[in-house]
Amino acid sequence: MKKLLIFLITLFITSCGGGGGSSQSNSSLPSSKMYTLTINSGDGGTTPQSSYSVEAGNIISFEISPDDTYVIASAEGCGGQLSDKTFTSSTINANCNISITYRRGYTLPSSIENDWLDYQHDLDLIDQQRTETYRLGLNIEKIWFKSLQIPSSAFSSKTRKFETEQVHGGGIGFGVSLNLTDNKQVLFAANWQHSDDWDVNIEDNGNAYAIEIIDGEPARFNSRKIPGSTHPSILENSDDTYSVIFPGIDEGPLFYVNRGFGQTDRKAGAKSYLFDLDNFNWSLIDEIGTVAAHDAFVYDYDQDGDDDLFTTTYFSAGDYDKGIIFKNNNATFEAVRINARVVSSSLISAFHDKDGNLGVLFGDTIGFGGQFENIKNETNVIGYFDNGITNENTSFKELPEGYLEKEEFNENKNEFEDGMHQSHDVKSYPADIDNDGDIDILISSKSFGTPTTILQILVNHDGVYADETDTRLYNWVIHAKGSHVLRMTDINNDGFIDVVLSDTARYRSESLVGQRTNTGIGSKMLINDGLGNFVVTAFQQIDIPTEAKETGPYIFSKSDEGIMKWFHIYPRCEDGLPGKCLNLDIIDIENDFSTGPNGVDPAKYGVPEFNEFYYILHNSVVKEALIAGEYNSGLDHYLAVGRDMSLKINAKE
């Protein structure tokens, strides 16, 4: 209609009384009579002119421009109609008035509709190409995406290159960032390399990286070859300094007596490294010895003010079973063996419950004995240590089965030998996600077989953990690659703990290799409504290498000033192959991420405490109005009618 109107105006345009509007004549009517069209526009926006002189028989069309944080409430008069922001009168045969009113409101970013269409395309492509029968995702609805996703227009990226002294290869990798000042941070990353037959009996088969970032640009860089590492970890010391540890890995230079997973003849271990921030280099942690770490978790278990580092070993035996704590004594370390009544586990985390008891969470466990031998292997458990970590745990609390152990996912039992479970639980985090005073648990899980992933949500009800994933996780794609890094931080500065998941670039859905999409990869941002419900608000909005040799970790960073970035580290030279060179993609999120729709700050709209996710999720009338298309966001609904309805806007009320 708009294009037709412009075409007609071009053919029949006459005097319009000035720029900004267009009139159309009817040649069958006399053209000598002129009429005045007067525009009465209230506060909150502008029109090109306040009045138009229009020849009898013509129509007038003009654009209305609301101010920032305002929308058009109404535009009436002269028999006209409003389409988007364009008002078009009927045929003018008398003087008439147009009245325009504005209200505070929110308009979706211009790119979000295309983002949604791209997202739908991705999901359709995944669904068409996959052969699996399990669900594609959880609570994937248009309202969660359009009103809560950070738009692609907010992301920008640049690449910086480094030369290295040795050839570094891609591989399974992890990373973390440390904020030192408002404008300075350091990135730490490590990986280990393996071949298709899992032959990792290679010295210095891993890589370690450190990159100092000042004002968003690399300032210092160092790298070295190491046997391999899992999760570089930042420990805060009691004197406000930091210790950065690269724990030895159980999948570095390994030795197999017999080939096979789950066998007790597999031995592993590597030296651990400490990174000196002043000298910007690594040194061996000799006092720890050889460690076989499959996972690592930072927690001050002895409550002495120095963070300690928990490590655990997966499918290993002998000296490396159960796990070791790097006990921190103000930047000096001793190895403290975790005396759990379980042989090994894939993940570890720790917490104190509200009664002060130390609980250690073990995942994908193997080898229960004694009074606990009735607990089946591959169960996720909490071991409680009433008499200290070096004494055997006094009890185990079995957690609900891994989410991907459901019968629905039985087809995932297709890769490893008999006895391997279909859910590989790779990272956990105990935290009070629903703010009721007790510890809940989040577990990042993936499948060994098909590309399947979940963030399992276990809610604590008076000491009983319930799996409430299905009702608490929104906009989640199940058919995707898993995330080995689970970080919890307050992303949107509302006082509630949110979730960041990340992994190497190679962890994307095979259905989407070669496509524009990032939907199937392992890095995501999720926000909490304040009561323990989470919605995915961002997949990485950049082009991601698809070749396995180009992989490397993605590192999320949030400065003390609230500036968020993603960093992607990967080896690749100009010929596209790994060599003595390294790349750093710096992905900026250009808008400040807050609690309003698409991450905007609701304070700009006069409602500083407004939470978009909470408002839609906990007010059914709002969700219904958005589904019906009456409003494009929860904030817009609240400013229009919700305030007068006294609807709750956050979990703090």
Side-chain angles (χ1 to χ4, degrees):
M1 175 64 189
K2 188 173 180 180
K3 291 183 178 179
L4 177 62
L5 177 61
I6 294 172
F7 175 72
L8 293 173
I9 290 170
T10 303
L11 289 176
F12 303 108
I13 189 167
T14 63
S15 174
C16 308
S22 303
S23 64
Q24 173 188 328
S25 67
N26 186 331
S27 59
S28 66
L29 297 176
S31 59
S32 58
K33 183 71 173 175
M34 303 296 294
Y35 294 105
T36 300
L37 187 151
T38 303
I39 300 174
N40 301 307
S41 183
D43 295 335
T46 59
T47 58
Q49 297 176 198
S50 60
S51 66
Y52 291 90
S53 181
V54 185
E55 188 175 356
N58 288 0
I59 64 174
I60 189 74
S61 180
F62 57 89
E63 294 292 318
I64 304 173
S65 301
D67 295 339
D68 189 29
T69 75
Y70 282 83
V71 296
I72 304 168
S74 64
E76 300 174 333
C78 301
Q81 292 184 336
L82 180 68
S83 177
D84 193 15
K85 296 179 182 179
T86 301
F87 185 88
T88 304
S89 72
S90 64
T91 302
I92 302 299
N93 288 304
N95 297 327
C96 60
N97 296 300
I98 298 173
S99 296
I100 302 172
T101 60
Y102 306 89
R103 64 171 176 81
R104 295 293 292 271
Y106 174 77
T107 302
L108 292 172
S110 58
S111 66
I112 203 70
E113 182 64 37
N114 287 333
D115 291 344
W116 167 248
L117 294 176
D118 287 341
Y119 186 54
Q120 285 185 304
H121 168 269
D122 295 349
L123 297 180
D124 289 343
L125 184 64
I126 293 172
D127 215 23
Q128 292 168 12
Q129 295 187 359
R130 70 193 185 111
T131 58
E132 296 78 17
T133 60
Y134 58 77
R135 290 164 290 169
L136 178 62
L138 292 179
N139 301 309
I140 299 176
E141 298 178 73
K142 185 177 182 179
I143 58 172
W144 305 124
F145 186 97
K146 294 190 69 172
S147 64
L148 290 163
Q149 189 83 357
I150 302 176
S152 60
S153 57
F155 290 77
S156 62
S157 64
K158 56 190 175 186
T159 300
R160 299 292 181 262
K161 298 182 180 293
F162 307 92
E163 293 183 358
T164 63
E165 294 182 357
Q166 295 173 295
V167 175
H168 293 265
I172 296 177
F174 312 96
V176 66
S177 71
L178 170 64
N179 295 332
L180 294 176
T181 63
D182 289 341
N183 69 332
K184 183 169 76 173
Q185 59 196 148
V186 185
L187 311 176
F188 303 100
N191 70 3
W192 60 276
Q193 300 164 240
H194 65 83
S195 59
D196 292 338
D197 61 356
W198 216 265
D199 181 12
V200 291
N201 295 286
I202 305 172
E203 288 295 327
D204 293 338
N205 199 37
N207 311 284
Y209 309 111
I211 306 173
E212 182 182 65
I213 306 292
I214 298 179
D215 293 328
E217 290 292 336
R220 282 193 291 180
F221 165 75
N222 198 2
S223 68
R224 66 167 296 162
K225 301 292 290 184
I226 59 174
S229 182
T230 48
H231 297 268
S233 301
I234 300 168
L235 282 62
E236 188 170 355
N237 305 315
S238 57
D239 62 357
D240 295 326
T241 61
Y242 298 95
S243 296
V244 182
I245 296 177
F246 288 65
I249 191 172
D250 68 351
E251 290 179 303
L254 305 186
F255 174 72
Y256 295 94
V257 176
N258 293 306
R259 176 75 170 87
F261 286 81
Q263 298 182 8
T264 58
D265 52 14
R266 179 186 182 196
K267 301 190 177 194
K271 292 286 187 179
S272 302
Y273 293 82
L274 181 69
F275 188 83
D276 189 315
L277 288 166
D278 294 326
N279 297 324
F280 217 72
N281 209 343
W282 290 266
S283 62
L284 282 173
I285 308 177
D286 292 321
E287 59 268 33
I288 292 293
T290 300
V291 174
H294 197 83
D295 187 24
F297 186 79
V298 177
Y299 186 67
D300 182 11
Y301 83 97
D302 54 4
Q303 305 289 280
D304 65 351
D306 292 310
D307 285 339
D308 309 296
L309 184 67
F310 283 70
T311 66
T312 190
T313 301
Y314 194 41
F315 289 142
S316 296
D319 295 336
Y320 312 115
D321 64 357
K322 303 177 184 178
I324 290 176
I325 298 174
F326 291 66
K327 178 176 169 48
N328 184 3
N329 298 302
N330 204 21
T332 62
F333 301 94
E334 63 177 298
V336 174
R337 189 170 299 279
I338 302 172
N339 199 8
R341 305 188 197 195
V342 58
V343 172
S344 67
S345 66
S346 68
L347 63 84
I348 194 167
S349 58
F351 63 96
H352 282 89
D353 64 19
K354 60 183 180 181
D355 297 321
N357 301 312
L358 175 63
V360 181
L361 196 156
F362 302 95
D364 282 5
T365 51
I366 298 292
F368 293 93
Q371 68 189 88
F372 305 112
E373 62 184 6
N374 61 321
I375 301 177
K376 66 179 181 180
N377 286 341
E378 301 157 357
T379 300
N380 297 331
V381 300
I382 301 172
Y384 289 95
F385 294 82
D386 299 335
N387 300 313
I389 200 77
T390 59
N391 296 306
E392 287 188 324
N393 56 291
T394 59
S395 63
F396 278 120
K397 180 186 292 292
E398 295 184 59
L399 296 174
E401 68 174 0
Y403 188 93
L404 299 180
E405 296 292 343
K406 299 176 183 286
E407 184 177 350
E408 175 185 1
F409 302 102
N410 281 349
E411 60 197 297
N412 290 345
K413 293 180 176 178
N414 62 3
E415 184 148 327
F416 290 136
E417 14 183 299
D418 292 341
M420 287 298 290
H421 53 155
Q422 60 208 41
S423 175
H424 182 29
D425 305 314
V426 295
K427 199 70 178 178
S428 64
Y429 207 112
D432 183 11
I433 63 172
D434 54 2
N435 294 282
D436 65 351
D438 54 25
I439 297 295
D440 313 293
I441 295 171
L442 299 180
I443 299 176
S444 177
S445 302
K446 62 185 291 290
S447 170
F448 280 115
T450 59
T452 313
T453 184
I454 199 70
L455 178 67
Q456 188 178 28
I457 302 174
L458 304 180
V459 179
N460 188 343
H461 298 282
D462 296 324
V464 178
Y465 286 90
D467 186 344
E468 299 181 5
T469 308
D470 287 342
T471 58
R472 288 179 175 270
L473 192 57
Y474 291 81
N475 196 31
W476 182 272
V477 180
I478 293 177
H479 188 89
K481 288 296 187 177
S483 304
H484 282 81
V485 177
L486 167 58
R487 176 181 173 185
M488 303 202 71
T489 184
D490 185 3
I491 296 174
N492 55 4
N493 301 312
D494 63 353
F496 301 123
I497 194 165
D498 307 306
V499 175
V500 176
L501 298 167
S502 61
D503 217 309
T504 60
R506 73 198 290 267
Y507 287 100
R508 74 181 329 190
S509 174
E510 281 84 353
S511 301
L512 300 173
V513 170
Q515 301 291 322
R516 174 215 54 80
T517 180
N518 305 309
T519 299
I521 68 173
S523 297
K524 309 173 182 67
M525 297 165 56
L526 300 87
I527 59 170
N528 185 354
D529 71 334
L531 298 178
N533 303 289
F534 295 89
V535 60
V536 178
T537 59
F539 305 97
Q540 294 167 1
Q541 305 292 322
I542 60 170
D543 292 328
I544 296 177
T546 58
E547 295 292 332
K549 293 180 180 180
E550 298 177 343
T551 63
Y554 275 86
I555 303 171
F556 174 81
S557 169
K558 181 184 176 185
S559 73
D560 295 338
E561 295 180 323
I563 299 173
M564 295 190 299
K565 297 177 183 288
W566 285 93
F567 297 93
H568 176 210
I569 301 172
Y570 58 99
R572 185 173 63 188
C573 296
E574 297 300 328
D575 59 3
L577 299 174
K580 294 184 177 182
C581 40
L582 196 74
N583 294 268
L584 173 68
D585 293 335
I586 304 173
I587 305 104
D588 293 300
I589 304 177
E590 296 174 353
N591 63 319
D592 295 331
F593 195 53
S594 187
T595 59
N598 310 119
V600 303
D601 185 358
K604 296 192 303 182
Y605 298 83
V607 199
E609 297 298 317
F610 182 85
N611 186 296
E612 177 81 3
F613 184 33
Y614 178 93
Y615 185 70
I616 300 173
L617 186 61
H618 297 283
N619 295 296
S620 58
V621 65
V622 179
K623 184 176 180 181
E624 292 170 1
L626 266 61
I627 293 174
E630 298 172 10
Y631 302 90
N632 55 35
S633 71
L635 178 60
D636 195 41
H637 178 279
Y638 180 76
L639 293 170
V641 297
R643 193 196 311 262
D644 295 335
M645 298 169 66
S646 299
L647 299 179
K648 292 184 65 175
I649 62 174
N650 61 57
K652 300 175 183 178
E653 292 188 333

